[in-house]
Amino acid sequence: MTRRRSRLTSVARLLRKGDNIAEAQLWLALRNRNLNGLKFRRQLPVGPYIADFACPDCHLVVEIDGSQHIDNRQDVVRDAFLHDQGWSVARFWSGDVLQDKSVILDTILAICEGRITTAVESYEFWFYPARLEMMEATPHPNPLPSGGERGQDTGFMRRAIDLARAQLGRTWPNPTVGCVIVRDGVIIAEAATGDGGRPHAEEQALKLAGDAARGATAYVTLEPCGERSSGASSCSHRLIEAGMARVVLACADPSPYAAQQGVLRMEAAGVVVEAGLLADEAAPLIAGFVHYLATGLPLLRLGTDGVDAMFEAAPDSDLEAELRACAAHGYRTLGVAENSDLAAALLTGGWLTNEVKI
């Protein structure tokens, strides 16, 4: 069977061929375990990003920055994501590498050997340790019964997806999420994200389940949140406090500020976490949220048969007025078909801006 290469892998290979002089010089000093026997990799894909250099054993990413990185907001987002994945990040100026790379190497070695462990922000370099400690999991007080619900996982996740789909278009600015809590093969509670994005699906389902949630399995279409912007208890905290024994999720949290926080916290508390079940079926449910994170704009889909099911006009409303309102709030089309009369009319009328044609 031929293994498919990800797009990031191809990009990483191009970057290896075209890296700048500073990166090339530093790589000569890091490659082949030249730095005290430490194994470094160059242009390593980590989630949606590509690290300049990375030492997997030390969980350290090393970035070599030019002037374009001064006050770069994208670097903040990137570093936050890497921290939440358990990577520490060290950033050095490319000019300093060219001037005296031995100082850079000594600093990298000090970090890897644990002589630098706290955050450093100086003119010479920046070091940000991983935000979450990789804690060793403790035994769960309510282990799953033998076999659990594993033979029925797909069916329960599909039920969670159905619950989330029923709330499409009602939960903005949060994504729609479905949660099903099962004990001994029986659904004891289920819920979806509330209108306007609150309350979250997990907290509603846990409230319905009560004490019966202890030792149960939760099926969630999206990774339970690790932090809440409101300061309220996150869904990962709530699942732990409820004594949940196992959490099965479909899609990982796409937010660079929250990805993996909930998973790491639950695993550290002894909860069995399994990810990726029916991810392809659940991903369309959060397409608008993912698009918003990437562009800052909401999402409207159009097709040859008109407006996609992801958009639904309010009952008894004027569709034309609804679409004009969408355009006024910055909606963009994704995948407008060339032969769509409706799409052509919308674009010609200036109601929507076409970003991608298929």
Side-chain angles (χ1 to χ4, degrees), residues 9-61:
T9 299
S10 300
V11 173
R13 288 180 176 175
L14 289 174
L15 289 174
R16 292 189 193 109
K17 295 178 180 179
D19 57 3
N20 59 38
I21 297 175
E23 289 182 11
Q25 289 196 9
L26 188 62
W27 178 236
L28 287 175
L30 293 176
R31 66 186 302 181
N32 299 327
R33 300 183 183 271
N34 286 334
L35 184 64
N36 207 34
L38 294 169
K39 173 65 174 178
F40 276 85
R41 297 178 62 184
R42 183 178 59 154
Q43 303 300 343
L44 176 68
V46 181
Y49 301 105
I50 298 176
D52 289 346
F53 307 100
C55 179
D57 290 340
C58 299
H59 240 57
L60 172 67
V61 165

Side-chain angles (χ1 to χ4, degrees), residues 63-195:
E63 297 288 329
I64 305 302
D65 295 339
S67 58
Q68 72 273 20
H69 289 271
I70 297 176
D71 297 326
N72 191 320
R73 172 64 184 169
Q74 291 303 313
D75 286 343
V76 177
V77 175
R78 175 192 178 101
D79 290 349
F81 175 85
L82 292 171
H83 296 163
D84 293 338
Q85 302 298 310
W87 292 88
S88 297
V89 180
R91 290 184 172 274
F92 301 91
W93 291 115
S94 58
D96 292 339
V97 175
L98 295 173
Q99 183 175 358
D100 187 0
K101 67 175 180 291
S102 64
V103 176
I104 308 297
L105 294 170
D106 288 344
T107 304
I108 294 173
L109 184 59
I111 293 172
C112 291
E113 292 180 344
R115 289 181 280 127
I116 298 177
T117 58
T118 57
V120 176
E121 294 186 5
S122 68
Y123 180 79
E124 290 81 11
F125 82 103
W126 292 259
F127 172 64
Y128 309 102
R131 181 176 299 168
L132 292 179
E133 295 182 0
M134 305 298 287
M135 300 170 59
E136 185 176 348
T138 56
H140 195 276
N142 306 288
L144 282 171
S146 178
E149 288 81 29
R150 295 180 186 278
Q152 307 173 67
D153 281 348
T154 299
F156 291 132
M157 182 59 79
R158 282 221 165 89
R159 174 57 185 163
I161 290 173
D162 288 342
L163 291 169
R165 185 178 291 113
Q167 279 293 89
L168 269 175
R170 299 176 179 273
T171 64
W172 188 260
N174 289 340
T176 177
V177 178
C179 176
V180 173
I181 298 178
V182 177
R183 186 179 179 121
D184 298 327
V186 177
I187 296 177
I188 59 175
E190 59 182 29
T193 307
D195 290 354

